[in-house]
Amino acid sequence: MPAFGPVKRTDLVRYLGQLGFEGPYSGGKHQFMVKGFITIRIPNPHQGDIGRELLGKILRQAGISRDEWENL
């Protein structure tokens, strides 16, 4: 179960895949993942983890609740 907090980019992609998202696909300045009509941008690889605030924004875009995220 991932805690709602800093997460590595690779783990974010893996968890989103478990929730039914496909990708990541290349496009523009960022990669993105798709599930039906929902498209979310994935942050580019960088040295640090993805922080709580950005994770929250990504999950809101994806329509994923905090409980759903923590129950993976």
Side-chain angles (χ1 to χ4, degrees), residues 15-67:
Y15 294 139
L16 289 174
Q18 290 176 5
L19 291 167
F21 283 85
E22 297 177 0
Y25 302 109
S26 296
K29 294 182 180 181
H30 294 275
Q31 291 184 332
F32 62 94
M33 296 184 77
V34 178
K35 178 182 178 182
F37 293 107
I38 301 171
T39 301
I40 56 171
R41 287 182 290 160
I42 303 297
N44 290 324
H46 58 286
Q47 289 183 338
D49 291 343
I50 296 168
R52 289 177 57 106
E53 188 174 316
L54 182 55
L55 176 61
K57 289 179 183 181
I58 292 169
L59 295 180
R60 275 192 299 279
Q61 271 187 340
I64 300 169
S65 70
R66 183 174 173 168
D67 291 334

